[in-house]
Amino acid sequence: MEVFWLLLSLSLLELSAALPGSHSTRRPTDPAPLQSQTQTMATGDLVPTHFPARRAAQVALHHLNTHHGSPFRVFGLQQVHTATAEDQVVGTAGRKYSLDFSVTDYGSSVCFRSMTNEGSVLRCSAEVLFPRTETHTHTPPEVHLRCEDLTHISSSPEELAFYQKHTAPHSAISAHDLPDSQGNISQDMQPFWHLARVAASFIMLRESSENTEYNMAQVANLTQQETSEKQLMLKYHVLLHDIVSQEIIHWKLLCSWSPEGGVSVLETEWLPKCPHDTGPPTAN
Amino acid sequence: MLIATLCKKMTRLLFLGALFVAVFAKRTFKRDQVLRINAKDDAQISLLKELSEQAHLGLDFWMEPVHESLPVDVHVPFHSLQAVRAFLAYNQIQYQVMIMDVQGLLENEEREMLKYNAFPRSTDDFVYSTYHDLKSIYSFMDMLVAENSMVSKIVIGKSYESRPLNVLKFSTGANRPGIWIDTGIHSREWVTQASGIWFAKKIVTDYRRDPVLTDILNKYDIFLEIVTNPDGFAYTHSSDRMWRKTRKPNPGSSCVGVDPNRNWDAGFGGAGSSSNPCTETYRGPSAHSEPEVKAIVDFVKSHGNLKAFVSIHSYSQMLLYPYGYKSTPAKDQAELYQLARKAVTKLWSLYNTYYRYGSIITTIYQASGGTIDWTYDQGIKYSYTFELRDTGRYGFILPANQIVPTAEETWLALMAIMEHTKNNPY
């Protein structure tokens, strides 16, 4: 059975279209054997604290971070206020969630670490569509998002200083285990950790479905790359955690950032945890 | 010529003696310095040897004067600094300050050692705001038992790799009904074991000080299993911080371990767990196949009188009740919901930490073979699962400075559950 899936995945390699200019090497398209989802997803008004609304909100968060994240700006879900779901049949078929939620930016503030709510709070609304496809191929969700005050966000002095420092000729940053096993991360390394989270959001967004709920668990390592362009370019090895399957999924990625340009992900590569691993848990 | 040299030497020694009075102060290293001296010739080496013979200076040579090619490191007590520096300057001997303040360095080191390499002599000495390894946690348990007559340690079984499965029993009298709390069933959820340690200390501290807890303990025993999956826990320290399952090998597979929270006989084998040994939610070959799970099952059955059962996980900030394996509401759903709301409100009151609550299957996901589904179906009505901090920012690797705040707020929720249990006997 496993051999069949392996053969199928090898013959169905595709380039990911969701990431601008990205090439994914060895990205199997069928899911790893996963618990079958016998629950039918709710339609109509959803309980905002229950998982269907929360998973959809998390997808909207990933989208928000890809567009507005930076080494000093990372958004996390604070609360879902209201949510509804409906089947969409016109246009792209799938299930569409409409959400009203609040997010918090934990990228910039100097933490009061005993507090779980830190940084400014933004109110957002979004539509998240999980497409339903005939075949076993996974199609990334589509997100339309509006948040108050987003247009007022511009590059902070910290961002500019960080950018200058690390695009200077001899900057060659590298690090591993961010945070470490005890949850420690130095002040200097936090922007790199935030940047990883933002870059990982491209992957998490692409890989999400109604049956996943992704967070970034840890940065295994990072290495700054030389570039002739005025960009901060970094190679990352990140560990993603999917709450639903509880799997830790390893990805390598290459990203670039500048204050004006934001974050771009240029390459991604899934790393199997064992030789017979067939794919990241993007279940249908 | 010789007399001149001798006179010179004498002068130097007198210079030293005159400049300084021996003060035999208390042994502290405050403002002591360590100097690295670079002698340029044999004559300077001889001078340094003479310096080393001045006992009243209290010098401690870390590297003795031997040869001009080797540095000479000397710990100089504060009271001798001026004299020594004058001596070196007078003789044009080059040196640098290697350590500006020995005491400061020692204090830093002591702090670091206390933090990560603690050898506490009592549970009052123990550092609750850091993560500990298995040895340290087991030694904490023994200390707590030794210090408190109300605490005893029960070994309910052995893990796959033969580690003892230790449960602390808090009891003020015989034949009481019981309340069970476990932490660390999933080994990577480090804030849970760390909170368990804190809960243990909290119980003994608050008994006879807090009226509510005292009343609970006068009617119920509390059982606390802090490291419910010791093999997995040891593995998170030695090899893989993200390890979740047990460490039992699976025949016919290169993948190790079973998810202990899918191994219980409640909807075992159904949707919400995996049949693949290489997955994190692998249910195991059969219900209760894992010794870590079987030990608790046997304990619960033989005790026969547990009235509340709380299994603690991280992360997500949730308080959950059965069921996980089916969408049929628990028959006590209404009461469990109200109590969860009350507990979560208490938790929130301390640090504004926001928790979601509800049944497992509606709030987080479908999960079969879970602990509290089994305990609930055994008749333990107040069966709850916590998912502690945070909501994904740090996830499993929660910073150590959040351990105590997490434990403190969670304790308020636990107290609400225990108090309700006590006030509603069944």
Side-chain angles (χ1 to χ4, degrees):
Chain A
M1 190 60 175
E2 313 244 81
V3 177
F4 169 75
W5 287 117
L6 192 63
L7 287 173
L8 185 67
S9 68
L10 285 173
S11 65
L12 285 174
L13 276 176
E14 60 171 29
L15 290 173
S16 168
L19 302 183
S22 75
H23 314 280
S24 55
T25 50
R26 209 207 148 167
R27 191 206 163 283
T29 54
D30 52 272
L34 191 68
Q35 63 256 34
S36 54
Q37 191 61 254
T38 57
Q39 299 170 269
T40 44
M41 292 304 200
T43 301
D45 284 340
L46 303 177
V47 177
T49 55
H50 289 179
F51 71 77
R54 204 177 52 247
R55 288 181 199 172
Q58 188 75 332
V59 170
L61 253 302
H62 295 319
H63 174 96
L64 175 61
N65 281 322
T66 61
H67 281 84
H68 293 282
S70 83
F72 292 87
R73 197 180 315 120
V74 184
F75 294 102
L77 179 65
Q78 199 208 40
Q79 210 185 340
V80 179
H81 302 291
T82 61
T84 60
E86 61 179 7
D87 283 322
Q88 179 164 292
V89 284
V90 182
T92 316
R95 191 183 319 276
K96 190 173 89 169
Y97 290 77
S98 299
L99 308 155
D100 174 28
F101 56 100
S102 290
V103 305
T104 177
D105 172 15
Y106 53 72
S108 60
S109 54
V110 176
C111 324
F112 292 101
R113 289 203 181 118
S114 60
M115 303 289 280
T116 50
N117 294 324
E118 17 188 319
S120 44
V121 177
L122 254 65
R123 192 69 176 244
C124 299
S125 63
E127 287 82 48
V128 177
L129 174 68
F130 293 105
R132 215 178 325 277
T133 54
E134 312 272 284
T135 64
H136 273 292
T137 56
H138 169 74
T139 314
E142 292 169 23
V143 182
H144 293 101
L145 174 76
R146 296 153 300 280
C147 294
E148 64 182 15
D149 290 341
L150 262 185
T151 47
H152 297 197
I153 291 177
S154 58
S155 301
S156 66
E158 316 167 277
E159 254 176 43
L160 294 168
F162 175 77
Y163 176 69
Q164 298 297 354
K165 180 174 177 189
H166 293 290
T167 49
H170 299 294
S171 177
I173 289 285
S174 68
H176 62 91
D177 295 333
L178 300 178
D180 66 16
S181 286
Q182 324 272 329
N184 297 319
I185 178 165
S186 71
Q187 195 87 351
D188 286 343
M189 282 296 130
Q190 285 200 13
F192 293 99
W193 177 54
H194 295 148
L195 190 53
R197 180 66 168 81
V198 174
S201 298
F202 285 80
I203 300 173
M204 295 191 284
L205 174 62
R206 183 185 69 191
E207 299 295 315
S208 287
S209 73
E210 284 174 286
N211 298 317
T212 59
E213 197 172 339
Y214 281 107
N215 283 298
M216 185 179 80
Q218 192 179 33
V219 175
N221 60 56
L222 68 97
T223 332
Q224 186 168 6
Q225 304 295 295
E226 266 186 50
T227 170
S228 53
E229 293 157 55
K230 223 20 186 131
Q231 293 279 314
L232 178 61
M233 197 166 279
L234 293 152
K235 241 191 192 151
Y236 279 103
H237 175 163
V238 296
L239 275 58
L240 304 183
H241 173 235
D242 170 36
I243 290 178
V244 181
S245 66
Q246 290 292 347
E247 295 294 328
I248 300 287
I249 310 124
H250 295 244
W251 283 87
K252 277 201 155 124
L253 62 91
L254 177 66
C255 76
S256 73
W257 171 75
S258 69
E260 323 82 53
V263 179
S264 305
V265 172
L266 309 165
E267 283 167 29
T268 66
E269 182 190 345
W270 171 67
L271 301 171
K273 73 175 177 187
C274 9
H276 47 277
D277 218 348
T278 54
T282 50
N284 282 315
Chain B
M1 229 346 227
L2 213 59
I3 295 167
T5 324
L6 271 169
C7 277
K8 239 184 168 181
K9 273 195 178 172
M10 285 293 290
T11 321
R12 283 174 194 147
L13 290 171
L14 276 170
F15 182 77
L16 228 50
L19 209 55
F20 145 82
V21 176
V23 176
F24 292 95
K26 197 180 90 158
R27 198 69 181 140
T28 166
F29 301 105
K30 222 169 160 65
R31 288 178 294 171
D32 289 7
Q33 292 187 354
V34 175
L35 307 180
R36 168 153 286 183
I37 303 169
N38 299 292
K40 66 169 188 252
D41 56 30
D42 204 39
Q44 291 199 339
I45 288 287
S46 302
L47 284 168
L48 291 171
K49 281 184 174 160
E50 282 175 26
L51 184 69
S52 71
E53 281 150 26
Q54 305 307 308
H56 58 271
L57 292 173
L59 302 178
D60 177 15
F61 281 81
W62 291 5
M63 294 214 304
E64 299 277 348
V66 169
H67 190 270
E68 69 252 28
S69 62
L70 298 168
V72 176
D73 291 346
V74 56
H75 170 195
V76 183
F78 178 68
H79 58 76
S80 305
L81 258 178
Q82 198 177 21
V84 170
R85 292 170 91 135
F87 175 81
L88 295 171
Y90 180 82
N91 290 294
Q92 290 168 26
I93 303 178
Q94 280 202 340
Y95 70 96
Q96 318 138 281
V97 179
M98 214 164 75
I99 298 173
M100 283 294 261
D101 177 8
V102 179
Q103 184 66 19
L105 202 69
L106 285 175
E107 277 168 12
N108 273 340
E109 191 184 46
E110 208 182 327
R111 258 196 298 274
E112 290 304 304
M113 270 181 62
L114 267 179
K115 266 212 266 182
Y116 300 117
N117 205 16
F119 294 105
R121 286 150 297 163
S122 77
T123 62
D124 288 323
D125 242 2
F126 193 85
V127 182
Y128 295 89
S129 54
T130 185
Y131 292 109
H132 291 273
D133 62 16
L134 191 62
K135 182 157 169 248
S136 168
I137 298 177
Y138 278 5
S139 116
F140 164 86
M141 290 178 192
D142 290 336
M143 282 193 296
L144 194 73
V145 168
E147 293 162 15
N148 297 278
S149 57
M150 69 175 288
V151 192
S152 58
K153 184 174 82 173
I154 309 173
V155 185
I156 61 169
K158 283 212 283 216
S159 70
Y160 172 74
E161 290 173 348
S162 296
R163 293 185 173 86
L165 299 170
N166 292 327
V167 173
L168 292 174
K169 176 182 182 182
F170 300 84
S171 181
T172 65
N175 300 318
R176 302 257 172 92
I179 292 168
W180 170 281
I181 303 169
D182 66 70
T183 53
I185 192 170
H186 286 142
S187 36
R188 62 190 178 198
E189 298 165 7
W190 278 16
V191 72
T192 70
Q193 298 95 335
S195 294
I197 297 168
W198 188 92
F199 298 151
K201 181 63 173 170
K202 181 67 169 164
I203 294 170
V204 303
T205 307
D206 274 12
Y207 180 62
R208 291 209 183 113
R209 284 197 182 85
D210 174 70
V212 180
L213 180 70
T214 306
D215 196 28
I216 291 168
L217 277 166
N218 287 340
K219 301 187 165 88
Y220 290 77
D221 295 337
I222 299 176
F223 296 95
L224 176 60
E225 188 176 9
I226 298 175
V227 190
T228 307
N229 178 6
D231 295 352
F233 189 60
Y235 198 72
T236 58
H237 278 272
S238 67
S239 311
D240 180 0
R241 176 62 180 82
M242 298 292 169
W243 190 260
R244 165 186 168 90
K245 301 188 284 183
T246 64
R247 288 296 302 165
K248 183 139 123 324
N250 295 298
S253 172
S254 57
C255 297
V256 174
V258 166
D259 185 344
N261 200 23
R262 300 289 186 281
N263 187 242
W264 299 70
D265 193 10
F268 180 84
S273 65
S274 165
S275 58
N276 179 349
C278 296
T279 57
E280 298 282 28
T281 56
Y282 175 51
R283 62 180 74 113
S286 58
H288 306 170
S289 60
E290 301 312 283
E292 296 83 357
V293 170
K294 183 74 163 53
I296 304 175
V297 168
D298 290 344
F299 177 82
V300 170
K301 283 183 166 165
S302 72
H303 186 283
N305 205 17
L306 294 178
K307 295 300 176 187
F309 194 104
V310 182
S311 192
I312 301 183
H313 293 253
S314 77
Y315 61 92
S316 278
Q317 290 174 204
M318 292 174 178
L319 177 51
L320 307 165
Y321 49 82
Y323 288 104
Y325 78 90
K326 60 184 179 184
S327 47
T328 317
K331 73 169 166 27
D332 302 290
Q333 148 101 346
E335 186 186 359
L336 292 174
Y337 174 86
Q338 290 300 337
L339 178 53
R341 163 192 272 184
K342 188 166 172 202
V344 151
T345 307
K346 282 273 159 78
L347 187 154
W348 171 87
S349 72
L350 196 56
Y351 295 118
N352 285 353
T353 306
Y354 177 66
Y355 263 58
R356 290 163 273 241
Y357 57 99
S359 67
I360 296 168
I361 196 170
T362 57
T363 312
I364 190 169
Y365 42 50
Q366 184 174 26
S368 63
T371 309
I372 65 165
D373 284 0
W374 182 82
T375 59
Y376 184 74
D377 280 347
Q378 291 294 301
I380 304 175
K381 177 162 57 155
Y382 302 113
S383 288
Y384 282 97
T385 278
F386 278 82
E387 293 278 357
L388 302 186
R389 288 194 196 182
D390 57 13
T391 54
R393 180 180 177 190
Y394 288 96
F396 299 121
I397 38 183
L398 194 71
N401 61 20
Q402 287 198 47
I403 294 171
V404 173
T406 301
E408 287 174 331
E409 67 192 10
T410 308
W411 184 247
L412 298 182
L414 283 171
M415 282 293 287
I417 292 168
M418 294 197 291
E419 193 182 2
H420 183 94
T421 305
K422 166 184 76 85
N423 293 337
N424 296 274
Y426 61 96

